[in-house]
Amino acid sequence: VFGMFSVNLLFTVLGLVVLAVGLWGLINKESFAQEKIGQIATDPMLVFVALGLLLSTLCLSGCVGALRENCCLLRVFSAAVLVLVTAQTLVAIVAYTLQGQIEGYLRSGMLVAMARYQDDLDLRFITDEIQIGLQCCGADNYRDWEINMYYNCSAPGVLSCGVPATCCVDPLENGTVWNSQCGVGAQQLDEFSAQSVIFLGGCLGGMSRWIEQHAGLIGAVGIVLLGVQIVTLFITTRLLDNIQWSKATR
């Protein structure tokens, strides 16, 4: 009982942290403001809120069920864990089966994010984080930014034929001031000239290399998490049997 309580308490706290991150994101972006409340249903931060709420509620029911020896809560908890284990296994099988098509989906998603870079703050944040984290630019290369109406070479304005500052090798001037114009005109440069200003490689290649380098860690974490859920399911089933046996012998 103590082991099950401890594991569920840990995941309850984790769920509350995820929930807090989602709520912080919504509040920070003023998504509850009257002029933005109509678009809140499409806000990616709702995913964090939903996951955090689901995880904390589920694990809290496991905690309370174990402490109070409540069969109803334990049955709900075990059924939910079984569904999660099954869903994760199916997702892993589908991902393995479609691994050849995943790159195509990622490319399409990144190109959409790049096209809507100025118009969607969430997609802009995600794109910037990917480009900074992987030190890359565009989906396949830096010239992919032609897809954006502001960075397109036929567009008017200072951004024409440029790339975002997160593509730059050194976007900080003197190490302190962020130079948002460091990528201006980068698409007009040949690769030899551009390599000292921006990252030439695309982010899809960077993602592939990152996954290959961390494949062992990703697999280990996935196996451990799945194992913890299976063990928790087994303990819950044994606890239910013990509670029912104890009630039957009274």
Side-chain angles (χ1 to χ4, degrees):
V1 174
F2 177 74
M4 181 178 168
F5 173 79
S6 301
V7 170
N8 278 297
L9 182 61
L10 177 64
F11 278 97
T12 299
V13 173
L14 179 62
L16 290 174
V17 169
V18 174
L19 176 61
V21 168
L23 290 174
W24 172 82
L26 291 174
I27 294 169
N28 192 51
K29 293 189 298 179
E30 300 180 346
S31 298
F32 295 111
Q34 188 173 2
E35 62 273 14
K36 295 182 180 179
I37 195 72
Q39 291 148 8
I40 197 171
T42 59
D43 197 309
M45 284 297 169
L46 278 183
V47 175
F48 286 92
V49 172
L51 283 175
L53 198 58
L54 177 65
L55 185 60
S56 55
T57 303
L58 174 62
C59 294
L60 192 59
S61 70
C63 284
V64 176
L67 284 177
R68 304 289 298 177
E69 295 188 347
N70 187 306
C71 290
C72 181
L73 283 176
L74 289 174
R75 286 194 187 97
V76 170
F77 175 74
S78 59
V81 172
L82 181 60
V83 169
L84 283 174
V85 169
T86 305
Q88 289 169 76
T89 304
L90 288 174
V91 167
I93 293 171
V94 170
Y96 181 78
T97 305
L98 300 177
Q99 58 183 328
Q101 302 174 39
I102 290 176
E103 185 175 346
Y105 296 140
L106 287 174
R107 178 178 284 103
S108 299
M110 183 135 197
L111 290 175
V112 168
M114 290 165 62
R116 297 174 57 191
Y117 183 77
Q118 270 84 7
D119 306 317
D120 191 311
L121 290 177
D122 295 306
L123 292 177
R124 179 172 185 161
F125 173 78
I126 293 169
T127 304
D128 284 342
E129 288 301 306
I130 290 173
Q131 292 193 148
I132 292 172
L134 297 177
Q135 297 186 339
C136 57
C137 188
D140 294 305
N141 60 64
Y142 64 100
R143 289 199 172 94
D144 288 337
W145 279 101
E146 177 81 8
I147 197 172
N148 183 281
M149 63 182 292
Y150 300 99
Y151 291 115
N152 190 286
C153 290
S154 62
V158 70
L159 297 180
S160 176
C161 251
V163 296
T166 50
C167 281
C168 295
V169 174
D170 184 19
L172 296 178
E173 290 183 349
N174 302 321
T176 55
V177 182
W178 182 266
N179 179 13
S180 60
Q181 304 297 318
C182 62
V184 170
Q187 290 184 55
Q188 295 176 317
L189 302 175
D190 58 63
E191 291 190 0
F192 181 78
S193 303
Q195 65 182 345
S196 60
V197 181
I198 60 171
F199 299 115
L200 300 183
C203 295
L204 291 178
M207 288 180 197
S208 298
R209 286 190 296 273
W210 188 91
I211 291 171
E212 287 173 5
Q213 291 168 2
H214 299 85
L217 179 61
I218 294 170
V221 170
I223 291 170
V224 168
L225 287 176
L226 191 62
V228 168
Q229 292 171 74
I230 292 171
V231 170
T232 302
L233 184 61
F234 175 75
I235 293 173
T236 306
T237 305
R238 290 296 301 272
L239 184 58
L240 273 169
D241 290 340
N242 290 339
I243 293 171
Q244 290 170 345
W245 180 83
S246 178
K247 287 181 179 180
T249 55
R250 284 176 187 172

